Amino acid sequence: MEDVRIFVRFLRLAQKNFRNEWSLEFYAGKLELAPKELSRIIWDTSSSTLPEWLDVLKRIDMESHSYHAA
């Protein structure tokens, strides 16, 4: 259950920072975890990697902006 809480915290942090920060070390530092541990938690919780999640957030952001521009 703790891994899920950390994963949710990662997603919230990523939503605020994905435009400027793609470093595993950045997110691990903010969550006070070793990069390897954060990587494991993200994978075990979602079967995706940190870069994959950041790419999803980027695509959602781009779609949101193109939708509002239309």
Side-chain angles (χ1 to χ4, degrees):
M1 193 67 165
E2 183 63 22
D3 283 359
V4 173
R5 287 187 185 112
I6 292 170
F7 178 71
V8 169
R9 287 178 54 214
F10 157 71
L11 285 179
R12 288 182 185 141
L13 187 61
Q15 286 176 319
K16 295 177 184 176
N17 293 284
F18 76 92
R19 288 179 192 89
N20 300 314
E21 192 56 65
W22 281 59
S23 162
L24 176 61
E25 290 76 12
F26 170 83
Y27 293 101
K30 292 289 187 183
L31 296 169
E32 300 179 349
L33 297 168
K36 191 172 185 175
E37 181 67 5
L38 177 57
S39 184
R40 181 200 61 78
I41 289 169
I42 293 170
W43 179 259
D44 287 354
T45 306
S46 69
S47 297
S48 295
T49 63
L50 180 138
E52 290 170 332
W53 273 106
L54 297 178
D55 190 52
V56 167
L57 293 172
K58 179 181 171 185
R59 283 185 277 143
I60 290 170
D61 188 56
M62 289 172 58
E63 289 175 12
S64 173
H65 283 100
S66 66
Y67 175 77
H68 291 298

